[in-house]
RNA sequence: GGCGGCGUAGCUCAGGUGGUUAGAGCGUGGGAUUCAUAACCCCAAGGUCGGAGGUUCAAGUCCUCCCGCCGCUACCA
């Protein structure tokens, strides 16, 4: 290990959703990495936590009729409770409501202000409370819903402080160029560079209409933008900006694990803030992929979410962790299904590592009365290959884990396991055991197998902390495998061992049919356990990047209370302003050079047919829409799109993940121009 | 539309700077074995390496075009 210290962070989780596998994923990875470095003697620190400010939290608490602090406390507890059984051992759980954090964020603000990176202006535009982001939408034509959430946007016209993000375009590009490791994987770096090269606008970093947050220093009617608040956690947690900044000096800069959906905040905004304040940038922002099911993001609306509650009831924590590390290429999207989980468990863990331990220990117990034979220095050309393969596995494992290629690292370890299995089969110790004359050979074979297993268990310990300890104990070895550096374990060195007697499978074989049936039963009759619920609405349930509020769904239904007011209530007068009319499509054609646009000529019962444009070209061919009866918003302000004027908007349902449009129509004949009310 | 990436055995994927019979794991089929969680070990698929051209003595591996996916971004809804 070259590094002197290691500091890893997960996104901090936005407390308006229940914990789910999407939160657990980067957290398990961070935990594994921390164990990996720590096992190798690197001074390591693992930070996770919760993001608790913002308008959404404010509203959710209000909807529940609960005090804000009580509300967030309860949800934080839920997160901690959900993570505990997964074997996650973080060093610190930061909360953005921690007083120390709030003070340090204010300090960061003051520094940026003093250095001239902040100015006061006025913001007018549309805001998505789910993203906590301002959206650029065209109000004349838009539905005014957030493109990622399909939730209504909110109109904001208020005084706001701005961060001079635009001034950091060149410094950022320069940094990306000089530090290719700063944004990973490469694909993501390309995206970030392309985004920044496209020009940066100054960033609104305060809100006056939000109270639940950190006040702007010197201007308390403003509240600091939640992302500014949240991102700062990575340094405030270490005591930056306070008298207690030893950890900051010791551990910064960090490896930030983030979901690819919140990459921009981490790879553009965050380093710009830090540059502005003259603080060293993170070492790496690594964007991991999303967990998929059936090729699609997990989500309740699709009914395909993998549920933490179900996972915990049926599968061991080590298996969940191993699966995510081994099956999913970190940095790429990955499929996660219960079936695949069971298959991995059976083939890799039960038949692989588990069975190797089992057969080795059983023979030691049966042939050597439980006392593992040790290697002798005599000729053992046959075993030399085994030891060199194990060393190779160790070397590759470390190389890949440092590069965050967990899947490949584990592959290397398993190649080592296969080599030992083959060695045992080739040498047939069960036959040697029947011939007293070949006792020495038997000893050599089992000593080699046992020694190889010792090294392999050490190697995989960060990925299988609980079960590696279990196997280690069954091997009757002294100490804790998670505190022994595999690279310092010497082949054949003297070790402390006691008599082996209790042997039991560390990874019992899983009955796929049975487990799948059980899971299906549960899905049919959902068990009410807090941690498993996804949100009630929106398309973005389960899988969004853990935390930092990138599209976290709103709080799930609270018992005995109606759901939070995700939609604005309007009066009948508001509705009356909208003039909906029946119409018939007379002509339709694709608009050149536009992916989604169809140009329609519609009969609204008016003297002249109208031209309207509709963004449905990806789902409706012009010919299949001609002649259809549709519903049009007739009094929408005219709008030019692609140089063509649109005089109205057709109505369509937005269905599914990608908002596929389905045209609204009538089942009975309706004259053109008939008003809907 | 712009930028980036992908498309290799049933499935998931490896295949720096072009060069022997294109690989691995899983699944499947056959064999061998019995120490072990019916596990392990051995053998097998004969895959137009998305399609079409081109460069080259030689191309999954370079170039051009096309098709199909995906991401970011713009436009749009």
């Amino acid at each position: 290990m070259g590094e002197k210290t290691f500091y890893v962070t997960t996104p901090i989780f936005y407390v308006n959703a229940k914990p789910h596998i999407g939160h657990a994923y980067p957290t398990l990875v961070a935990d594994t990495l921390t164990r990996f470095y720590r096992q190798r003697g690197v001074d390591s620190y693992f930070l996770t936590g919760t993001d608790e400010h913002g308008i959404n939290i404010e509203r959710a608490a209000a909807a529940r009729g609960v005090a804000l602090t009580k509300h967030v406390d309860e949800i934080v507890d839920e997160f901690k409770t959900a993570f505990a059984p997964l074997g996650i051992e973080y060093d610190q759980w930061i909360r953005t409501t921690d007083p120390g954090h709030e003070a340090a964020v204010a300090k960061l603000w003051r520094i940026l202000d003093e250095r001239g990176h902040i100015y006061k202006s006025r913001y007018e535009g549309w805001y998505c409370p789910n993203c906590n982001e301002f959206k650029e939408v065209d109000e004349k034509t838009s539905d005014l819903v957030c493109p990622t959430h399909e939730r209504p946007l909110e109109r904001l016209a208020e005084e706001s402080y701005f961060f001079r993000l635009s001034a950091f375009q060149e410094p950022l590009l320069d940094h990306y160029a000089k530090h290719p490791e700063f944004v990973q994987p490469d694909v993501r770096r390309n995206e970030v560079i392309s985004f920044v090269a496209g020009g940066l606008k100054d960033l609104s970093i305060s809100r006056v209409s939000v109270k639940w947050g950190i006040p702007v220093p010197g201007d308390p009617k403003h509240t600091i933008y939640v992302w500014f608040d949240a991102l700062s956690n990575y340094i405030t947690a270490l005591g930056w900006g306070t008298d207690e900044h030893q950890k900051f000096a010791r551990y910064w800069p960090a490896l930030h694990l983030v979901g690819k959906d919140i990459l921009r905040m981490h790879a553009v905004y965050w380093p710009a803030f830090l540059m502005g304040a003259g603080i060293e940038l993170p070492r790496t922002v690594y964007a991991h992929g999303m967990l998929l099911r059936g090729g699609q993001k997990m989500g309740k609306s699709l009914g395909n979410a993998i549920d933490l509650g179900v996972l915990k009831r049926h599968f061991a924590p080590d298996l969940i962790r191993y699966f995510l590390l081994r099956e999913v290429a970190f940095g790429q999207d990955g499929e996660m299904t219960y079936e695949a989980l069971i298959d991995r468990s059976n083939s890799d863990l039960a038949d692989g590592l588990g069975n190797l331990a089992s057969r080795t220990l059983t023979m030691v117990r049966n042939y050597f009365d439980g006392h593992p034979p040790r290697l002798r220095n005599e000729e053992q050309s046959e075993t030399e290959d085994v030891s060199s393969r194990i060393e190779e596995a160790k070397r590759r494992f470390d190389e890949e884990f440092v590069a965050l290629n967990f899947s490949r690292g584990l592959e290397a370890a398993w190649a080592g396991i296969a080599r030992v299995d083959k060695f045992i089969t080739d040498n047939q110790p069960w036959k040697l055991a029947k011939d007293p004359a070949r006792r020495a050979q038997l000893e050599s074979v089992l000593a080699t197998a046992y020694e190889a297993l010792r090294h392999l268990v050490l190697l995989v310990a960060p990925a299988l902390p609980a079960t590696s300890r279990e196997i280690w104990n069954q091997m009757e070895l002294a100490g804790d495998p998670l505190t022994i550096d595999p690279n310092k374990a010497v082949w054949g060195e003297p070790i402390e061992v006691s008599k082996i007697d209790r042997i039991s499978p560390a990874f019992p074989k899983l009955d796929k049919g049975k487990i799948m049936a059980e899971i299906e039963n549960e899905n049919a009759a959902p068990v009410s356990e807090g941690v498993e619920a996804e949100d009630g609405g929106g398309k973005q349930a389960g899988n969004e990047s853990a935390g930092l509020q990138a599209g976290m769904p709103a709080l799930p239904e609270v018992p005995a209370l109606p759901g939070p007011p995700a939609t604005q209530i309007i009066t009948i007068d508001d509705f009356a302003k909208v003039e909906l009319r029946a119409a018939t499509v007379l002509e339709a054609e694709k608009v050149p050079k536009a992916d989604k646009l169809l140009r329609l000529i519609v009969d609204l019962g008016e003297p002249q047919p109208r031209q309207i444009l509709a963004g449905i070209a990806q789902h409706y061919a012009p010919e299949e829409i001609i002649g259809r009866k549709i519903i049009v918003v007739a009094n929408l302000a005219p709008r030019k799109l692609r140089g063509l004027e649109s005089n109205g908007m057709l109505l369509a349902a937005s269905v599914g993940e990608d908002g596929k449009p389905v045209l609204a129509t009538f089942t009975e004949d309706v004259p053109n121009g008939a008003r809907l009310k």
Side-chain angles (χ1 to χ4, degrees):
Chain A
M1 299 290 93
E3 294 93 317
K4 279 172 60 193
T5 61
F6 175 73
Y7 175 39
V8 64
T9 70
T10 70
I12 53 175
F13 312 113
Y14 199 43
V15 296
N16 73 341
K18 302 276 183 178
H20 53 69
I21 189 68
H23 298 106
Y25 180 38
T27 314
L28 282 168
V29 168
D31 184 76
T32 302
L33 268 174
T34 306
R35 292 174 190 272
F36 171 85
Y37 279 103
R38 207 161 265 161
Q39 186 189 33
R40 283 151 184 75
V42 178
D43 182 11
S44 305
Y45 202 76
F46 165 20
L47 174 74
T48 190
T50 36
D51 181 4
E52 305 177 21
H53 288 139
I55 187 79
N56 265 344
I57 309 298
E58 205 172 308
R59 288 174 182 169
R64 287 179 66 201
V66 172
L68 270 163
T69 51
K70 183 173 190 297
H71 174 71
V72 295
D73 283 353
E74 285 174 4
I75 298 185
V76 169
D77 276 347
E78 222 178 296
F79 270 90
K80 291 184 174 178
T81 306
F83 284 173
L86 292 171
I88 292 167
E89 293 176 12
Y90 46 83
D91 292 298
Q92 184 180 347
W93 185 292
I94 190 173
R95 302 180 51 172
T96 55
T97 50
D98 290 340
H101 168 78
E102 299 191 350
V105 170
K107 177 162 183 179
L108 180 62
W109 177 289
R110 270 189 254 104
I111 292 176
L112 289 172
D113 192 20
E114 283 159 13
R115 292 180 169 223
H117 299 304
I118 292 177
Y119 62 92
K120 195 195 262 191
S121 179
R122 192 174 167 75
Y123 180 83
E124 209 171 327
W126 296 94
Y127 188 82
C128 171
N130 288 310
C131 303
N132 280 308
E133 221 182 356
F134 294 100
K135 300 289 175 181
E136 289 187 38
V137 287
D138 197 311
E139 46 202 88
K140 292 206 182 71
T141 57
S142 166
D143 292 346
L144 300 178
V145 294
C146 168
T148 46
H149 294 105
E150 299 183 345
R151 298 272 181 97
L153 293 169
E154 298 178 5
R155 183 67 184 174
L156 281 180
E158 58 182 38
E159 192 179 79
S160 175
Y161 285 94
F162 284 79
F163 173 73
R164 293 190 198 279
L165 184 63
S166 56
F168 292 88
Q169 179 170 351
E170 286 313 316
L172 283 168
L173 289 172
D174 191 51
H175 190 76
Y176 303 144
K178 285 185 181 150
H179 302 274
E181 79 289 354
F182 180 68
V183 183
Q184 286 291 321
D186 292 350
V187 199
R188 301 298 157 210
R189 188 177 60 249
N190 290 343
E191 288 177 6
V192 169
I193 289 174
S194 139
F195 174 78
V196 174
L200 294 175
K201 291 176 189 153
D202 290 347
L203 197 62
S204 168
I205 52 168
S206 78
R207 295 280 309 275
V208 290
S209 51
V210 177
K211 287 285 156 279
W212 181 234
I214 303 172
V216 166
D219 195 353
K221 71 174 188 295
H222 283 263
T223 299
I224 295 178
Y225 174 51
V226 286
W227 271 103
F228 186 97
D229 174 354
L231 288 163
S232 306
N233 94 85
Y234 301 128
I235 59 172
T236 66
L238 300 182
W240 176 89
T242 73
D243 292 338
E244 302 292 314
H245 54 265
Q246 300 86 346
K247 282 185 193 157
F248 180 75
R250 182 164 156 194
Y251 292 114
W252 188 256
L255 162 64
H256 294 316
L257 304 180
V258 306
K260 65 183 187 185
D261 53 336
I262 51 172
L263 177 60
R264 186 195 302 173
M265 286 74 180
H266 286 82
V268 182
Y269 304 167
W270 176 229
F273 296 157
L274 292 171
M275 279 180 183
I279 299 170
E280 184 182 0
L281 268 43
R283 179 165 62 85
T284 294
V285 177
Y286 196 102
H288 68 255
M290 300 287 124
L291 299 177
L292 309 176
R293 247 190 131 192
Q296 294 182 288
K297 283 188 183 182
M298 284 184 202
K300 180 156 186 170
S301 59
L302 290 169
N304 67 349
I306 292 271
D307 168 311
L308 266 187
V310 172
L311 273 180
K312 287 195 294 189
R313 274 194 293 282
H314 294 280
F315 305 105
D318 273 15
L319 168 59
I320 297 167
R321 173 192 298 249
Y322 174 81
F323 177 86
L324 291 172
L325 294 169
R326 175 66 185 80
E327 182 88 4
V328 180
F330 197 59
Q332 290 176 255
D333 290 352
E335 283 286 331
M336 177 161 193
T337 64
Y338 298 117
E339 291 90 336
L341 194 61
I342 295 168
D343 289 343
R344 273 291 169 198
S345 182
N346 285 339
S347 63
D348 293 7
L349 300 180
D351 296 350
L353 179 59
N355 183 57
L356 175 62
S358 190
R359 67 195 304 209
T360 303
L361 296 186
T362 301
M363 287 189 281
V364 169
R365 186 184 58 190
N366 293 347
Y367 307 150
F368 294 90
D369 192 32
H371 299 290
R374 294 302 288 165
L375 294 157
R376 297 177 185 166
N377 289 330
E378 295 132 32
E379 54 71 343
Q380 275 165 11
S381 62
E382 186 66 21
T383 71
E384 246 173 53
D385 186 58
V386 174
S387 64
S388 68
R389 295 299 186 96
I390 296 296
E391 291 307 317
E392 186 192 341
K394 283 156 72 169
R395 184 183 55 72
R396 284 179 50 205
F397 184 92
D398 273 38
E399 203 175 285
E400 300 292 4
F401 261 54
V402 167
L404 272 49
N405 297 324
F406 309 109
S407 189
R408 291 194 182 193
L410 290 168
E411 256 179 69
W414 257 255
I417 291 171
R419 179 65 189 90
V420 183
D421 261 332
K422 181 173 164 52
F423 170 79
I424 293 173
T425 303
D426 289 350
N427 287 282
Q428 307 181 90
W430 49 92
K431 283 189 178 166
L432 299 175
K434 290 175 183 159
D435 183 354
R438 300 169 80 181
R439 184 72 182 175
Q441 200 185 339
L442 175 65
E443 263 183 45
S444 160
V445 170
L446 281 182
T448 300
Y450 183 89
E451 180 65 356
L453 181 61
R454 182 173 78 98
H455 287 257
L456 288 168
V457 169
L458 287 177
L459 194 59
V460 302
L464 296 164
T467 38
S468 63
R469 281 182 172 131
E470 169 62 25
I471 296 172
W472 191 260
N473 290 338
Q474 289 189 33
M475 292 176 78
E476 296 297 339
L477 287 159
D480 178 358
L482 282 153
T483 63
I484 301 170
D485 183 349
N487 301 309
K488 291 191 177 140
V490 176
W491 187 261
E493 68 188 331
I495 50 171
E496 197 183 321
V497 199
S498 1
K499 180 178 173 179
I500 291 165
D501 56 353
R502 297 209 337 263
I503 303 169
S504 69
F507 307 100
K509 201 100 161 184
L510 302 181
D511 183 333
K512 193 172 181 177
K514 182 163 161 271
I515 292 176
M516 290 310 295
E518 284 171 7
I519 291 174
E520 271 171 44
N521 281 341
E522 288 173 24
N523 286 344
V527 183
S528 62
E529 185 181 307
V531 291
E532 68 195 5
E534 299 292 352
D535 83 319
K539 61 176 191 177
Q540 73 288 357
N543 186 42
E544 235 100 72
S545 167
L548 279 174
Q549 57 214 359
M552 281 293 105
L555 190 72
E557 309 83 286
V558 177
L561 280 170
T567 308
Q568 216 180 331
I569 303 297
I570 63 170
T571 67
I572 186 70
D573 296 329
D574 291 325
F575 175 70
K577 294 177 188 166
V578 183
E579 188 184 319
L580 298 175
R581 292 192 183 275
T584 300
V585 179
L586 303 176
E587 298 172 28
E589 65 173 23
K590 280 211 65 174
V591 175
K593 293 185 184 174
D595 296 338
K596 302 183 185 176
L597 277 188
L598 281 188
R599 185 180 72 92
L600 309 176
I601 303 297
V602 298
D603 180 357
L604 269 168
E606 298 166 320
Q608 290 294 320
R610 288 195 194 189
Q611 168 174 290
I612 68 174
L613 301 181
I616 56 172
Q618 289 175 328
H619 296 91
Y620 286 94
E623 52 274 16
E624 67 178 307
I625 192 176
I626 291 172
R628 284 186 62 163
K629 189 71 78 174
I630 60 170
I631 300 169
V632 172
V633 182
N635 61 340
L636 201 60
R639 168 74 182 160
K640 303 180 299 294
L641 307 173
R642 287 274 158 196
L644 300 168
E645 186 163 284
S646 182
N647 297 290
M649 182 177 94
L650 68 67
L651 250 47
S654 181
V655 177
E657 194 77 0
D658 56 352
K660 173 178 179 257
V662 176
L663 292 187
T665 187
F666 300 94
T667 52
E668 295 165 51
D669 194 38
V670 174
N672 290 331
R675 174 107 192 241
L676 282 77
K677 54 184 181 180

